[in-house]
Amino acid sequence: MTTSAASPDAFAPRADLPEAEHGEVRGRGVPGDAAMRRVLAFAYPLRWRFVGAGLLAAGTEAAGLGLMAAATWLLATAAGQPPLIALSIAIVLVRALAIGRGVLRYGERLASHDAVLRMVTEVRARIFAALVDRPPARRADALSRMVSDVDAVQDLVIRVLLPMAAAGLVAVAAVGTALLADPATALVLLAGLLVTGVALPLLAARLARHGSARLAPLRAAYAVDTVDLVHGAADLAAFGARPEYEARGAAHADELARVERALARRSFAVDAAATAFGGVTAMAVMITAMSRGLPGVWLAVLAVATLAAGELALSLLAAARKGAEIQGSLRRVAELLGEPATGASGGLPVPDGSVHLRLRGAGVRYRADAPPALHDIDLDLPPGRRVAVVGPSGAGKSTLLALLTGAIAVDTGSVVADGTPITAYDRERWPAAVTGLLADAHLFHASVRDNLLLARPGATDGELVAACRTAGLGDWVDAHGLDVRVGEDGAELSGGQRQRLALARAVLADPQVLLLDEPTEGLDPAQADAVLAAVLAHRGDRSVVLVTHRLTGLDAFDEVLVLDGGSVRERGTQGWVRAHGG
Amino acid sequence: MDSVARPFDPRLLRQVPSTRRDVVLLGVLGAAVAIAVVTAAAALARALAAAVELRLDPAAITVFLLALAARAALTSGLGVVAARMAATVKASLRADLLGAVGRRGPGWLAGQRAGELATLTGRGLDALDGYFTGYLPQLVLGVTVPVGVLAMLAFADLASAVIVLVTLPLIPIFGILVGWQTRVATERQWRRLSMLGGHFLDMLSGLPTLKAFGRARAQVAAVREMADRHREATMRTLRIAFLSALVLELVGTISVALVAVPVGLRLLGGGMTLAAAFTVLLLTPEAYAPLRAAGTKFHASMEGLTALDQAFTLLAAADGGSAGGARTAPRGGPIELRGVTVAYERTTALRDVDLTVRPGERIALVGPSGGGKSTLLNLLLGFTTPTAGRILVDGTDLAELDLDGWRRQLGWVPQRAHLFADTLAANIALGTPDAPRESIAQAARAAALGPVVDALPQGLDTVLGERGHGLSSGERQRLALARAFLRDAPLLLLDEPTARLDAASEQAVVSSTLSLVEGRTALLVAHRPALLAAATRVVRVDQGTLHELVTA
C-alpha cells in the first residue's frame, strides 16, 4: 500500500482511453490529520462500540501484565513461607487472569471487528455514492486499489488505533498504581514508558514514511524496466538490445535491494533499542523503589510489571509503522469522502421522441503534458443518422462515444443536443436519449435477467428474450433460461456469449441514439455480420453510432469517420468503404 | 494449495543458492538468541531474588542488562539477515524471471504470460518482505528458544520443564486442528463471503455501466445493504476463526499459571530457591512467544509464499529451450525453408512449407490475416522454431547459428513497435546505443519522422513509453522504419500494418518504405498495392500453405 501511494501504475494495459485519470484520486490534496478526521467521522455514530472494544483491548493487555505481576507476588511472598491462606487470593488471581486474558482477547476481537465492519459498510456506501458523480476511472487496477484503500480503514482501527488506545490505558493504569506506592518510582516508570511507548514509535513511523518515500520511485522505475523487458521482448531480441536493457533493470533491482537492506537495518535497530531500554527502565524502577524503602516483594513485582509494560510498548512500534504505511490509502479515501458532487446535474428534461446531437470542434485532453485524446471533432447526428467510426486502437474512438454519453466533458468545443449543451439535461435520465454498448461494459455477478433488467427495469421476460434474439443470443437463452448466473464480469460465459449479452442489454435499452463500441468483438466474421445486420434492422430509422475496426457491413451507414491520433483523418459517405477496398 | 501452505519452500535453496548461507546464519543467530534469553532470565531472577531480600545485586543486574542488550541486538540481526535474504531473493528471482524471457525468446511470452510475468516481477515479489522479515525469524526462534528454555528449566525445576514440554506442542497441534476445523466448518461460508466481498469491486467495476443505463443512484442502497450482509457473514465466520487465537492465547497464559502455582507451593515448603522459582516464571512465557508470533503472522505471509510459488512455477516452465546455437552466421547466400511446419497447441500455422529466398530478392507475402505470414517472419527472426523441417542459411541450419549474430543481419519493421521508456533517439538507436546523433537524425528523416520530431516538445530527446509520450500507430510505424534505416541490415523483414489509416502522411511513409527496401533482400508482409510494386515475387500465404503468384 505504501508504494502505491506515489508510484505510477506501470502495469496498466494501455487501453483505448490512455491514462484516463479523471476518476482516479491521487491522494495528495488532503493532509494527514484532516484525512484521519474525515475517516474517523464515520466511527462517531458507533462510538460506544469502539469504546467497548478499546476497553476490552486494554483489559486484555492489563490481564497479561497483571498475570505476570500476580505470579511474581505469589512467588516472592511464598519465599517468606507465610501460611498457605496468605497465598490463596494470589493463586486464584493468577488462574483467573490466565483464563481471563484469552477470553478478553476473544471478546475484543469480535467487538472490534463488528464495529469496524459496520463503519466500513458506511464508508463503502459513501464512496460509491461519491463515485457516481465522478467521471469514470478506466483502469482495473485503480479500482482494485480503491477496494484495498477502503480496507486500510479497517487496519487503521484494528491495527493502529486500538493497540494505541489499549497500551495508553494500561500505561496510565500502571503509572497510576505506581504513584500510589511511590511518586519517584512512578516518575521513573513514566519516563521510561514515554521513551519506549512514544518517542521510539514516532521514530519508527518517521523511518517508515521516509523509507517508502525512497522506495516508491525506485519501485516505479523498476516496474517500467519490467514492462519494457517483457512487453518489448521482441524488439529487444530483434535488435540485440536485450543485454543493455537487462543491465539497466538489474541495476535498478540491485539499487532497490540495497536501499531495502539499509532501511531494514535502521528499522530493526529501533526494535533493539526498545527491547534494551525496556530492561533498563525495569532495573531503574527497581533500584529507585529500593532506595525509597518499598518492601522487597513489591520491588520484584514492579520490575516484572515494568518489563511487561515495555513489551506492550513494542507492539506500538508495529502500530506506528502500520499507521505510516496506510497514510496514502487513508488520504485517497478521505479525498473521495470529502468530494462534493462535481458537475451537478442539469435540470432540463431529456427530450423524448428524437434528439439532434452535434459535436462542434470537440477536444479532450486527459493529461496536460500529453497530446489530446480528441482534437477538433465535428459531427452532426440528426435523428435517424447512422455513423461508423473506424481507426486504430488509441485513436480516440471510445472517447468520442464517452463524450456523447456525457461520461466525460469536452475541454474545448461543445456537445449539444437540440441546440443546448448536454450538461444542461438531467444526467440520470440522459441514457434514455443516448446509451448503448460501451467499451467498459460490465456484466454483474448476477443472473442474466438481472443484468438485462438494468437497461429497462420494467421489461417483461418476453421483451428480454426478444432483445437476446436480436443480439444473436436467442438459442442460448432458450436452452439456459434467464436465471443462469453469469459469473464475475461474465466469467462463466464464453467471450462471444458475454459480448452478445452486453449487446442485448444495449438493444433492450432502446435509446434514441444507440452507441455500439465494437459490438461484435469476439464473434466469428459470419456471425458478426448477421448480428450487426439484425441490430440495425431492429433500430429501423433511429440513429446508430458504431465504433469498429472491421470495414465490412459499413454500406448501411450514412457516414464513415476515420480517426487517428485523436483527429479526423478522413470522412466519407457510403462509397468510402468500397473505394478503400473493405 | 498444499505446496503453498508449507512454512518453508525448499525450492528456494536450489533457485537462490546464496540463501543457504543465510539460512545457516539464521540458525546460528537463533541459537545465540536462545542463549541470551536464558542468560537474561537467570540473571534477572537472581537480581529479583536479591531485591526481595532488599539487597542490590549489581553483578546480576549487569549480566541481565548485557544479556538483554545482546538479545535485542541478535534478534535485530536475525531480522536484518531475513531482510537481506528478502532483498537478495527478490533481486535474484527478478533477474531469473527476466533472464528466462531472454532465453526463451518473445515467442514464449504468449499474451497472458507476459502480463502475469510483468506483475509478478514488479510488485508481486514485494509480498515476500512480509514472509521473510515477519514470519521466518519467528519460525527459527520457535525452534531454538523452546529448546534453550527447556534445557534451562530441566536444570532449574524438572517438574516445570515437563509441564512446558507437554503443553508446548499444543500450540502447533491446536493451531492446525482449529485451523482445519475452522476451514471445514466455514468452507461454505467463506465461499459466500468471497462472493459478497467481491461485490464492492463488482459494483465499482460496473459503475460506468450503471451510469450508462441511469441506474447508478439506485445502487447506493444496494451497496450499503450488501456491505451489511457481508459484515454479518464475516462475523459468523470470525466467531469460529478467532477460537484458534483464543486457544493459542490460553495455552500460553494457562501454562504460566500451571507452572507458577505449584512452584509457589514448593517455595512455601522450602523445597526450592526463590531465584530458581523466578527463573521458571520468567522463562515459561518465553517458550511460547515465538511460536505464537509465527502463528499470528502465518496468514499475513501467505501472499509472499504464493508469489514465491508462482515464480518457481514460471521458472520451471521456462526451463530449458535455450534458443540458438553457437555457429557464426554466414553472410549472404540463399535462405531456404525446407518442409517447415509450425504447429501450436490448437492450430497449425504453417504446413510443410518450402521457400527459397535468393540474395537480392524481394518477396511480398499476401493473404488473409491468420494465414501464417507473421509466423514466417517470426521463424526467420528466431522467435519461433519449426515443429518439423529446417531453415537453412547458406546451407547451415538456423538452429545451429548464434542467434544474436544472425539477427545483426536483419532489419525488422514490426506492425507495432514497442515504445521504450527512453528518449525518441534511444528508441531509434535500439541495439546501437552509441550511434552518432547525426545518423539517428538522418534515419528519422529518412523514415518520414521529421515532422513528428519537430512537433515533440524536446524533439529527439522527448521521453516516450510508460509515463512518457505516446505515438499514434502511424508514427510508431515510422519509428520502426527509422530503426531499420539506422540498422542498415542486408535482410529486411517488414510487416506492414493492416489498417494504417493515416492518409495525410501515407504517401511519405510509402516512399520512405520503398527507399528502405531498395537494394536489400526482403520479405514483405504487404497490404498495399504500392509495396507489391517493389516486390520481385509475390507469394500468397493461406491456411498455412504457400502459393507463388505469377507477377505481371
Side-chain angles (χ1 to χ4, degrees):
Chain A
M1 275 319 84
T2 30
T3 56
S4 61
S7 75
D9 296 295
F11 307 125
R14 297 175 80 85
D16 194 30
L17 287 170
E19 318 273 330
E21 307 282 27
H22 279 49
E24 199 181 342
V25 181
R26 285 276 170 215
R28 299 238 170 82
V30 185
D33 298 349
M36 186 87 91
R37 271 200 303 278
R38 204 174 278 170
V39 171
L40 287 183
F42 284 84
Y44 187 74
L46 300 160
R47 58 192 175 281
W48 296 118
R49 288 178 187 275
F50 282 110
V51 167
L55 287 177
L56 282 170
T60 308
E61 302 303 347
L65 196 147
L67 172 64
M68 284 309 282
T72 307
W73 190 89
L74 174 67
L75 297 192
T77 309
Q81 303 188 335
L84 178 59
I85 192 80
L87 299 182
S88 56
I89 289 179
I91 289 175
V92 171
L93 193 62
V94 164
R95 286 176 178 157
L97 288 172
I99 294 170
R101 180 177 152 91
V103 174
L104 283 170
R105 168 71 76 215
Y106 184 70
E108 178 262 309
R109 288 271 180 97
L110 286 185
S112 60
H113 279 79
D114 185 61
V116 85
L117 285 171
R118 283 172 196 273
M119 177 176 160
V120 166
T121 296
E122 204 48 42
V123 171
R124 285 185 170 183
R126 274 283 295 277
I127 285 194
F128 186 81
L131 287 172
V132 168
D133 293 323
R134 278 172 166 266
R138 295 283 169 181
R139 299 181 340 192
D141 64 336
L143 290 179
S144 52
R145 196 173 79 185
M146 207 178 288
V147 172
S148 59
D149 280 349
V150 174
D151 288 343
V153 174
Q154 294 187 36
D155 280 343
L156 171 70
V157 173
I158 289 186
R159 296 175 66 182
V160 181
L161 296 179
L162 273 181
M164 283 182 178
L169 283 175
V170 172
V172 167
V175 173
T177 312
L179 203 58
L180 291 178
D182 173 56
T185 309
L187 207 62
V188 174
L189 177 61
L190 179 66
L193 289 181
L194 282 179
V195 173
T196 43
V198 178
L200 287 175
L202 283 177
L203 180 63
R206 206 185 140 89
L207 285 177
R209 265 198 305 277
H210 170 75
S212 39
R214 271 185 75 188
L215 285 176
L218 284 175
R219 289 193 167 145
Y222 183 72
V224 170
D225 294 339
T226 317
V227 169
D228 277 350
L229 279 166
V230 173
H231 293 287
D235 304 58
L236 291 175
F239 288 88
R242 186 159 192 95
E244 182 199 337
Y245 277 78
E246 246 175 25
R248 188 183 296 186
H252 278 141
D254 286 345
E255 170 75 0
L256 195 56
R258 200 182 57 74
V259 173
E260 279 171 344
R261 284 195 294 264
L263 291 171
R265 274 198 298 276
R266 281 193 223 167
S267 145
F268 282 111
V270 175
D271 283 7
T275 304
F277 199 81
V280 171
T281 310
M283 290 300 98
V285 164
M286 189 180 83
I287 293 168
T288 311
M290 195 185 286
S291 71
R292 304 280 295 180
L294 289 183
V297 170
W298 285 104
L299 299 184
V301 171
L302 277 171
V304 170
T306 306
L307 267 185
E311 267 166 41
L312 187 55
L314 271 178
S315 72
L316 290 180
L317 292 178
R321 288 188 184 119
K322 190 77 201 169
E325 196 182 301
I326 60 176
Q327 262 190 1
S329 294
L330 288 181
R331 281 187 194 177
R332 286 191 292 270
V333 168
E335 194 161 319
L336 275 176
L337 290 174
E339 192 72 13
T342 51
S345 172
L348 274 186
V350 174
D352 47 2
S354 58
V355 65
H356 186 164
L357 281 175
R358 190 162 218 166
L359 265 69
R360 284 209 195 95
V364 174
R365 191 183 278 271
Y366 289 120
R367 283 188 356 195
D369 59 343
L374 277 181
H375 177 66
D376 196 20
I377 308 287
D378 289 309
L379 182 64
D380 192 20
L381 278 170
R385 193 161 176 93
R386 289 179 180 176
V387 175
V389 184
V390 297
S393 64
K397 306 189 294 287
S398 297
T399 305
L400 178 62
L401 294 192
L403 279 183
L404 295 175
T405 63
I408 58 174
V410 284
D411 292 314
T412 55
S414 61
V415 187
V416 296
D418 294 344
T420 311
I422 62 165
T423 47
Y425 293 99
D426 180 348
R427 183 190 283 213
E428 271 288 281
R429 307 213 182 283
W430 183 244
V434 182
T435 190
L437 169 56
L438 301 167
D440 44 20
H442 179 83
L443 290 185
F444 291 91
H445 194 349
S447 65
V448 170
R449 178 186 281 104
D450 288 343
N451 270 290
L452 288 170
L453 282 176
L454 268 185
R456 207 200 300 169
T460 65
D461 277 10
E463 289 170 315
L464 301 186
V465 172
C468 288
R469 220 169 283 294
T470 306
L473 202 62
D475 293 344
W476 187 84
V477 166
D478 288 345
H480 294 87
L482 291 167
D483 291 313
V484 186
R485 295 184 69 88
V486 302
E488 239 168 273
D489 200 9
E492 274 156 43
L493 306 179
S494 76
Q497 288 159 0
R498 190 193 173 288
Q499 188 69 11
R500 281 175 286 183
L501 179 54
L503 180 58
R505 188 167 62 188
V507 167
L508 186 70
D510 205 32
Q512 295 165 39
V513 180
L514 180 68
L515 310 180
L516 299 172
D517 196 337
E518 302 281 10
T520 56
E521 202 176 25
L523 273 56
D524 68 52
Q527 268 183 328
D529 293 344
V531 166
L532 184 59
V535 172
L536 290 178
H538 176 263
R539 288 298 290 172
D541 57 359
R542 281 165 305 158
S543 300
V544 175
V545 180
L546 170 74
V547 158
T548 184
H549 66 275
R550 298 181 71 233
L551 297 180
T552 55
L554 298 190
D555 279 354
F557 286 79
D558 302 311
E559 186 178 10
V560 176
L561 204 65
V562 183
L563 290 184
D564 192 19
S567 303
V568 177
R569 288 293 180 203
E570 219 169 318
R571 60 199 318 160
T573 46
Q574 291 174 357
W576 184 89
V577 180
R578 275 188 293 272
H580 286 73
Chain B
M1 192 64 201
D2 280 340
S3 70
V4 171
R6 278 179 307 189
F8 186 81
D9 196 329
R11 284 176 293 178
L12 187 62
L13 299 177
R14 254 177 290 138
Q15 192 71 41
V16 191
S18 67
T19 53
R20 288 178 200 169
R21 202 194 53 197
D22 285 336
V23 167
V24 172
L25 196 53
L26 285 180
V28 171
L29 283 170
V33 168
I35 293 171
V37 164
V38 169
T39 312
L44 178 61
R46 267 189 290 130
L48 292 178
V52 171
E53 295 165 12
L54 296 174
R55 271 191 306 115
L56 204 59
D57 185 344
I61 290 176
T62 311
V63 172
F64 163 64
L65 289 178
L66 286 178
L68 188 68
R71 174 197 181 159
L74 288 166
T75 308
S76 291
L78 207 59
V80 170
V81 171
R84 190 179 72 192
M85 235 173 130
T88 313
V89 166
K90 283 192 292 179
S92 160
L93 286 178
R94 282 171 171 157
D96 287 350
L97 286 166
L98 294 177
V101 177
R103 203 172 61 248
R104 294 303 301 264
W108 182 66
L109 286 169
Q112 198 188 349
R113 192 177 270 158
E116 187 193 349
L117 200 81
T119 310
L120 177 66
T121 311
R123 208 170 285 160
L125 284 179
D126 283 327
L128 280 175
D129 288 345
Y131 170 73
F132 276 105
T133 57
Y135 179 70
L136 200 55
Q138 297 301 335
L139 195 66
V140 172
L141 292 179
V143 175
T144 60
V145 171
V147 170
V149 167
L150 279 171
M152 185 70 189
L153 284 182
F155 179 70
D157 179 38
L158 199 56
S160 302
V162 171
I163 292 177
V164 172
L165 188 63
V166 171
T167 52
L168 199 56
L170 290 180
I171 290 192
I173 290 174
F174 267 107
I176 292 165
L177 267 183
V178 171
W180 182 68
Q181 197 57 37
T182 324
R183 208 175 306 156
V184 173
T186 59
E187 198 174 354
R188 236 186 31 217
Q189 258 173 356
W190 273 123
R191 218 177 298 140
R192 191 177 146 70
L193 258 188
S194 65
M195 196 189 95
L196 293 171
H199 180 262
F200 187 47
L201 181 59
D202 192 32
M203 281 293 150
L204 287 182
S205 316
L207 192 52
T209 300
L210 292 173
K211 283 198 220 176
F213 295 112
R215 303 290 304 155
R217 266 185 207 296
Q219 286 298 319
V220 176
V223 165
R224 180 176 287 123
E225 188 194 320
M226 277 303 258
D228 220 44
R229 272 160 57 193
H230 178 226
R231 175 183 61 80
E232 282 165 17
T234 308
M235 289 313 296
R236 270 198 297 280
T237 313
L238 289 184
R239 271 193 273 282
I240 299 167
F242 285 157
L243 280 178
S244 71
L246 171 68
V247 169
L248 294 186
E249 198 91 37
L250 282 178
V251 171
T253 50
I254 289 181
S255 61
V256 171
L258 280 181
V259 166
V261 174
V263 164
L265 295 178
R266 220 146 350 120
L267 274 173
L268 206 58
M272 199 178 187
T273 65
L274 183 56
F278 276 139
T279 307
V280 171
L281 175 66
L282 292 169
L283 276 180
T284 302
E286 297 284 4
Y288 302 91
L291 278 179
R292 268 173 48 204
T296 55
K297 282 177 177 160
F298 184 60
H299 279 288
S301 64
M302 282 293 278
E303 202 186 336
L305 281 176
T306 310
L308 201 59
D309 183 61
Q310 229 181 329
F312 289 143
T313 310
L314 265 172
L315 285 171
D319 225 15
S322 159
R327 292 180 63 171
T328 313
R331 294 191 78 84
I335 298 160
E336 295 162 82
L337 274 68
R338 286 202 194 149
V340 169
T341 297
V342 175
Y344 298 118
E345 243 168 67
R346 286 189 207 147
T347 56
T348 303
L350 289 175
R351 283 170 218 279
D352 195 17
V353 162
D354 292 299
L355 179 72
T356 304
V357 186
R358 279 174 284 273
E361 271 191 321
R362 295 184 294 279
I363 303 180
L365 303 171
V366 299
S369 65
K373 303 188 297 291
S374 300
T375 306
L376 218 45
L377 294 195
N378 285 341
L379 277 172
L380 291 182
L381 282 159
F383 292 169
T384 308
T385 47
T387 319
R390 300 204 298 162
I391 303 169
L392 300 177
V393 178
D394 198 18
T396 315
D397 197 321
L398 182 60
E400 293 166 17
L401 295 186
D402 163 35
L403 264 181
D404 284 334
W406 160 244
R407 285 172 183 154
R408 267 194 285 280
Q409 300 182 33
L410 305 179
W412 181 46
V413 183
Q415 281 208 33
R416 187 178 165 84
H418 179 79
L419 299 184
F420 291 91
D422 214 329
T423 61
L424 176 57
N427 267 284
I428 294 173
L430 192 67
T432 47
D434 32 7
R437 179 87 176 176
E438 185 41 43
S439 321
I440 296 174
Q442 211 175 336
R445 277 196 300 276
L449 259 180
V452 179
V453 175
D454 295 340
L456 287 171
Q458 276 102 40
L460 277 173
D461 295 319
T462 308
V463 173
L464 306 176
E466 294 287 335
R467 318 315 285 179
H469 271 267
L471 294 181
S472 78
S473 51
E475 291 162 352
R476 278 190 188 216
Q477 162 79 354
R478 281 177 268 172
L479 168 65
L481 284 173
R483 279 181 191 164
F485 269 112
L486 187 66
R487 193 145 183 98
D488 197 20
L491 176 59
L492 187 70
L493 304 173
L494 185 142
D495 203 345
E496 194 181 30
T498 41
R500 193 191 61 243
L501 298 146
D502 190 341
S505 54
E506 170 136 6
Q507 197 46 51
V509 172
V510 166
S511 67
S512 112
T513 306
L514 291 180
S515 77
L516 176 65
V517 170
E518 185 70 43
R520 293 176 216 270
T521 310
L523 269 180
L524 312 165
V525 176
H527 301 286
R528 300 278 185 291
L531 201 54
L532 291 183
T536 55
R537 286 162 69 195
V538 179
V539 172
R540 183 174 166 79
V541 188
D542 196 357
Q543 296 186 349
T545 56
L546 306 190
H547 314 273
E548 188 95 19
L549 298 186
V550 181
T551 42

